[in-house]
Amino acid sequence: MKTIVFIGTNKSGSSREATKAAEKLGYFTVLFTSNERQFEQREQYVDIHKMIVVDTSNMEALKAEIVKLQQIGLEIKTIVSFVDPYVHVASLLCDMFCQNLTSSKAIEIMEDKEETRKFLLNKSYTPQFTVIGPNEIPTGKLIFPLIIKSPKSTGSKDVLFAKDKKEFNKHLATLQSKYPTESIIYEEYLKGEQYLVEVIVQKHLPHIIAVMRQDITKGKRFIITGYQLFANIPPNLLPGLETLCQSIVETFDINTGAFHLELRLIGNSWKLIEINPRISGGAMNRMIEAAFGINLIEQTLKLYLGDEPDFTPKHHHFVYTKYLIVHRKGRLEKVTGKLRALKSPGIFDVYIKPKKGTILIPPLSMGHRYAYIIAQGSSISEAVSRANRAAHEIKFHMHHLQ
């Protein structure tokens, strides 16, 4: 039986849509998870045909489970992951057990912010940065503001803004205490609009699938609360993006793969915030579907399987995705307004994440975004207006906590 093995998945978002897409494509789906709660909620994962609880950080344990799958007659066509930090693990396993069209070395570098910065050190799009080792203190003059972060950070959890030396020292102490054996990066703060770019690589050629401008809410962390997805890439942005993507493909020597970039536009120049060797998580697959009628996850799986994917847009809509956050800590009692929001003009999708009884908090990471609304429009402004109108319908009823 033709099988796809997934290392980790979230309950929703791009990684979960990957297992659904694999089932739709006719494959037997196997999930390796270290999240025992997922096994307890087995009935909620009907698209996953076999779920195995295993330590996903233990390579030998993973290899042993794959051998068992082969021994019961499953033909493993590919091993993939769409969640941090398992993309590289999945690729290494794919090297061992099936044909891997992607580059494990490129994925390994991309998963580590320190290694990525060093690997792209001499590129014009790399910001000025400094790496300090465990328990080291910076030498030389610091020019504020600065961004300070852990190279292993995901979802904005450990990306901190320092406006002066006092804030910098406080953040440095926090990160060094949290990651005593890890390096810390600090780099120039780039003031400009932030963009996310989804890219697919075929035969060494990058294909820009989607470009979107990000709305950032700055509280204790930088949290992206809005995505303005362009129906067509603005002509003034396209040449620079194509050059940058081609440089990344050539530098990392990528023949086949998928990655997304977070970039800042400073004047007419692009600066790379980070790169990730997978489709962006959360609502990204649904956004691209709303904009272009493409199921990017499904087509990416085809690419990894050696089949011919189709990234041709079926239509072109401007799309705005609005994420909802809370500003006070509280226990969720109920959420109202989802159906009214769905019935608002131009709404493509509404998703509410938390269940009754969940403790909600102001965001410290992307995981603390509790709902999203995807709206289509004939312009960005129309899509934004429609999403905001629908958002007013949704209410989180909470018992506030100290």
Side-chain angles (χ1 to χ4, degrees), residues 32 64 80 122 136 141 175 184 282 340 349 355 376 378:
F32 290 172
V80 292
N122 297 316
E136 285 184 9
K141 185 175 171 140
L175 292 177
I184 303 297
R340 290 194 299 276
D349 195 12
K355 306 301 182 191
Q376 297 167 313
S378 57

Side-chain angles (χ1 to χ4, degrees), residues 124-388:
S124 62
Y125 44 81
T126 298
Q128 294 179 12
F129 71 96
T130 302
V131 178
I132 54 174
N135 299 315
E136 285 184 9
I137 57 172
T139 57
K141 185 175 171 140
L142 299 175
I143 300 172
F144 295 97
L146 286 169
I147 296 294
I148 179 168
K149 58 190 177 184
S150 160
K152 302 294 190 283
S153 165
T154 59
S156 297
K157 285 190 288 290
D158 299 301
V159 179
L160 304 168
F161 175 82
K163 68 178 184 293
D164 54 31
K165 185 74 182 289
K166 182 179 178 182
E167 275 195 353
F168 179 86
N169 288 338
K170 176 185 168 188
H171 294 329
L172 179 60
T174 298
L175 292 177
Q176 288 186 329
S177 173
K178 189 173 180 180
Y179 303 102
T181 62
E182 303 287 347
S183 300
I184 303 297
I185 297 177
Y186 63 90
E187 57 192 35
E188 62 176 321
Y189 173 68
L190 300 166
K191 193 171 183 180
E193 291 185 325
Q194 186 158 308
Y195 291 79
L196 187 145
V197 182
E198 289 287 349
V199 183
I200 292 292
V201 185
Q202 286 179 282
K203 299 176 182 175
H204 284 290
L205 291 175
H207 302 276
I208 298 174
I209 303 297
V211 176
M212 59 214 75
R213 190 163 50 221
Q214 297 177 316
D215 297 339
I216 299 172
T217 298
K218 186 182 176 302
K220 289 188 176 180
R221 300 290 188 276
F222 294 96
I223 304 298
I224 297 156
T225 50
Y227 295 81
Q228 305 174 34
L229 201 165
F230 300 110
N232 296 287
I233 302 172
N236 63 312
L237 301 183
L238 186 57
L241 287 175
E242 287 179 331
T243 300
L244 190 154
C245 290
Q246 188 63 49
S247 169
I248 286 171
V249 168
E250 290 173 1
T251 306
F252 284 94
D253 192 24
I254 303 169
N255 179 64
T256 302
F259 61 83
H260 71 268
L261 309 172
E262 288 192 9
L263 305 164
R264 286 252 169 139
L265 186 58
I266 314 298
N268 294 317
S269 299
W270 291 105
K271 292 290 184 179
L272 180 66
I273 304 297
E274 65 176 58
I275 181 170
N276 288 288
R278 55 174 173 77
I279 182 177
S280 187
M284 184 55 63
N285 197 55
R286 294 290 284 157
M287 287 185 230
I288 292 172
E289 207 170 341
F292 307 119
I294 300 169
N295 186 325
L296 184 57
I297 281 282
E298 182 180 324
Q299 299 307 321
T300 302
L301 283 175
K302 286 184 180 179
L303 182 73
Y304 291 165
L305 289 159
D307 298 334
E308 191 59 40
D310 182 5
F311 300 107
T312 308
K314 312 298 185 290
H315 53 246
H316 291 264
H317 294 305
F318 288 90
V319 165
Y320 184 68
T321 299
K322 183 179 181 69
Y323 274 90
L324 304 185
I325 58 176
V326 299
H327 300 285
R328 288 183 63 188
K329 183 178 181 180
R331 180 178 288 106
L332 183 64
E333 295 175 345
K334 63 179 178 178
V335 181
T336 57
K338 180 180 178 181
L339 289 178
R340 290 194 299 276
L342 269 169
K343 290 176 181 176
S344 296
I347 300 304
F348 179 81
D349 195 12
V350 176
Y351 175 72
I352 310 291
K353 180 181 175 183
K355 306 301 182 191
K356 180 181 177 181
T358 306
I359 302 297
L360 310 186
I361 63 170
L364 295 174
S365 77
M366 299 292 195
H368 299 140
R369 303 179 299 181
Y370 296 119
Y372 65 71
I373 296 160
I374 302 177
Q376 297 167 313
S378 57
S379 65
I380 282 291
S381 59
E382 183 179 55
V384 170
S385 175
R386 286 174 166 180
N388 286 333

